[in-house]
Amino acid sequence: MPLNIGVIGLGVGEAHARAGASHQESVVTYLCDISKERLGQIAAQHPGAATTTDPGAVLCDPAIDVVVIASYDDNHYEQTMIALKNGKHVFVEKPVCIFAHEAKELRNEIERRPGQLFFSNLILRLSARFMRLKELIEQGQLGELYAMEGDYNYGRLSKIIDGWRGQQAFYSIVNGGGVHLIDQMLWLAGERINEVMAYGSNIVTRDTGFRYNDYVSSLLSFRSGLIGKMAANFGCVYPHFHPFRVYGDAGTFINNRGDAELYRSCEQEEKPDLISDSYPGVDKGDLFLNFLDTITGDAKPVVTRDEIFDSMAVCFAIDESVKKGGPVTVEYL
Ligand SMILES: NC(=O)c1ccc[n+]([C@@H]2O[C@H](COP(=O)([O-])OP(=O)(O)OC[C@H]3O[C@@H](n4cnc5c(N)ncnc54)[C@H](O)[C@@H]3O)[C@@H](O)[C@H]2O)c1
């Protein structure tokens, strides 16, 4: 029996529907969007799928095995909870939810249901360039790591000023964007972050309707002594990109908009190795394919549920540190 997929929210959800339709053991059965116009556009690409403007119809349909939740952020918690309680496998876009207490409740519900798979779309994990970086680290080519720095340069300011993101009960650029880099750092380091210290500002958007910080810079103290720096930079005049640097005592990796570089020497004349795998080089629906393959038993999960909740816990600690104006110990969920 093929897996029946229901997709809620057809912005980025369109990529998940496309990926689902390409998967050999799955069928896109139900499409949902509150916008009739958007629903009609995407339904035209999936003529066999039923359509609805009511997410509850998908979440409670006993025929649906897998639910993709790609609605607005403030719908994720409730829709994920209903999907879990109705026995579905859940693939929810990041951020999984907005508040730490919601994350705790979801975690508890997920733990009670070991037969149901849960993923969030931390898509940078599938970037060939970052997979190569992970390999280089594991081979010891950078030596012992002592610092990691990454910037989530958004480059899409209008999305927070004019779009739904600014209308949410709370919009965290850390949980909504920086989470990709936090996940990346935890994965590359292979260890947890103990404590964070962060500052935030809203200089770029203060005269707009956006009510939250558009820039947050954080310092991250890992258990081994490794130190991270992560900035969520939503106001930047710069195309969407993630500058990323990893420093080890034997080498330095630098992610550029062109090729990435691996420096093995401090000599000015020595050229770095170039890493030219495309960046990010992934489609937004690619991780959903891994999710489906994990359900069918044909693959291992690229991102585990522990990793998803660990990166969120760090994001919540960063936001708490900005609010408090001091260091915050990460409370893992
Ligand atoms: N993982 C990633 O890299 C990535 C990239 C883009 C967006 N996202 C996430 O995906 C989610 C959607 O963002 P987007 O960029 O696609 O936004 P979008 O505005 O482009 O599309 C969202 C769609 O969902 C529909 N929608 C909203 N609430 C709904 C509901 N309750 N039920 C049914 N349909 C609903 C809207 O009508 C709209 O068509 C957000 O949570 C965002 O953070 C993740």
Side-chain angles (χ1 to χ4, degrees):
M1 284 288 282
L3 293 168
N4 287 300
I5 302 170
V7 183
I8 299 173
L10 299 171
V12 70
E14 180 274 331
H16 306 317
R18 210 170 356 99
S22 75
H23 190 264
Q24 295 221 324
E25 295 175 70
S26 307
V27 181
V28 176
T29 306
Y30 224 153
L31 294 171
C32 170
D33 200 294
I34 47 173
S35 154
K36 279 194 180 149
E37 192 190 344
R38 185 69 184 160
L39 184 60
Q41 283 166 0
I42 307 307
Q45 298 161 21
H46 301 272
T51 58
T52 179
T53 53
D54 171 16
V58 179
L59 295 167
C60 301
D61 183 338
I64 296 294
D65 307 296
V66 179
V67 176
V68 174
I69 297 172
S71 48
Y72 300 148
D73 297 2
D74 59 357
N75 297 153
H76 292 183
Y77 163 76
E78 193 190 354
Q79 292 179 349
T80 302
M81 200 53 114
I82 297 173
L84 288 169
K85 288 183 176 169
N86 278 280
K88 318 296 183 201
H89 301 289
V90 181
F91 184 92
V92 57
E93 266 302 344
K94 58 80 213 165
V96 170
C97 56
I98 297 181
F99 301 110
H101 70 89
E102 296 173 335
K104 278 186 193 137
E105 287 164 30
L106 287 176
R107 174 96 217 211
N108 291 340
E109 197 60 37
I110 288 163
E111 291 309 317
R112 277 200 282 274
R113 301 171 178 279
Q116 290 167 240
L117 265 73
F118 173 83
F119 253 44
S120 184
N121 198 21
L122 297 170
I123 189 67
L124 283 189
R125 285 290 195 94
L126 286 180
S127 167
R129 195 176 284 190
F130 281 157
M131 289 199 283
R132 176 93 187 101
L133 169 60
K134 174 81 170 160
E135 228 173 68
L136 291 167
I137 291 171
E138 284 176 351
Q139 289 165 357
Q141 299 212 33
L142 276 72
E144 185 177 359
L145 305 187
Y146 63 88
M148 249 185 231
E149 303 174 354
D151 302 319
Y152 189 85
N153 285 351
Y154 193 55
R156 297 163 178 167
L157 190 57
S158 68
K159 284 202 180 191
I160 58 170
I161 296 175
D162 306 322
W164 55 265
R165 288 169 176 82
Q167 316 301 320
Q168 303 275 288
F170 174 56
Y171 189 80
S172 161
I173 59 170
V174 177
N175 200 13
V179 66
H180 284 293
L181 295 191
I182 294 293
D183 170 65
Q184 193 69 18
M185 288 186 187
L186 290 168
W187 175 60
L188 291 172
E191 59 168 322
R192 278 178 159 179
I193 292 165
N194 271 347
E195 191 176 89
V196 305
M197 174 69 214
Y199 293 96
S201 69
N202 69 341
I203 292 168
V204 181
T205 55
R206 72 183 153 212
D207 296 330
T208 72
F210 187 70
R211 294 161 291 151
Y212 313 107
N213 286 324
D214 54 55
Y215 181 81
V216 171
S217 185
S218 59
L219 281 175
L220 319 162
S221 163
F222 287 76
R223 291 191 173 164
S224 66
L226 169 67
I227 292 175
K229 277 200 299 192
M230 193 288 293
N233 186 350
F234 273 46
C236 61
V237 181
Y238 195 80
H240 186 85
F241 184 68
H242 317 117
F244 201 81
R245 300 163 292 282
V246 182
Y247 296 93
D249 61 5
T252 298
F253 169 93
I254 309 224
N255 193 29
N256 298 307
R257 291 189 65 221
D259 291 341
E261 296 164 315
L262 174 63
Y263 287 85
R264 300 174 190 276
S265 159
C266 303
E267 297 303 324
Q268 294 287 359
E269 305 74 40
E270 283 222 18
K271 297 241 180 318
D273 296 352
L274 296 181
I275 298 167
S276 40
D277 304 281
S278 69
Y279 186 79
V282 282
D283 188 84
K284 297 282 184 204
D286 288 352
L287 199 61
F288 183 52
L289 288 174
N290 172 252
F291 183 62
L292 294 172
D293 285 340
T294 308
I295 297 171
T296 57
D298 296 315
K300 290 214 164 95
V302 167
V303 188
T304 67
R305 61 179 69 174
D306 283 345
E307 291 172 327
I308 291 162
F309 283 98
D310 281 4
S311 54
M312 285 175 72
V314 174
C315 292
F316 290 134
I318 291 172
D319 281 335
E320 181 59 28
S321 172
V322 173
K323 204 164 120 195
K324 176 180 151 187
V328 168
T329 302
V330 180
E331 260 188 60
Y332 285 94
L333 297 154

